Amino acid sequence: TIGHAIEKCSNYLISHGKAVAAGMAIISRCANQQGLCDKETNNAIHHILKRFDLPTETMYSLSNFCRQHYLTKSVPVRL
């Protein structure tokens, strides 16, 4: 998941809960942009995360996630 990738990229300095929260926000935002998640659901997810002072973004990029994957896995990433 994106949350696990965030944890790994941070060398586990970002807690599991905060990484998963950011991952949820990123995935809902992408899904909304692709028409797979309606705007209201995306907004609700972001509102709830912010209400509990959880992150909705990360400083890591897709290339960071892929690099971490390739360093630790022998199976290629399918994008």
Side-chain angles (χ1 to χ4, degrees):
T1 66
I2 297 292
H4 290 107
I6 293 168
E7 283 182 293
K8 190 178 283 188
C9 285
S10 77
N11 290 320
Y12 300 92
L13 295 175
I14 296 174
S15 73
H16 179 73
K18 288 183 178 183
V20 168
M24 288 170 50
I26 291 166
I27 289 297
S28 70
R29 188 168 39 250
C30 290
N32 176 251
Q33 291 170 356
Q34 296 295 314
L36 302 171
C37 172
D38 61 52
K39 184 177 181 179
E40 292 77 21
T41 300
N42 179 52
N43 289 344
I45 290 168
H46 284 258
H47 175 75
I48 290 167
L49 294 174
K50 287 182 180 194
R51 181 175 173 204
F52 288 95
D53 198 28
L54 292 167
T56 58
E57 298 177 353
T58 181
M59 61 188 245
Y60 302 107
S61 67
L62 180 59
S63 63
N64 294 127
F65 299 149
C66 291
R67 187 174 20 261
Q68 281 298 321
H69 178 80
Y70 281 120
L71 290 174
T72 59
K73 303 281 184 189
S74 61
V75 179
V77 173
R78 295 179 194 258
L79 298 177

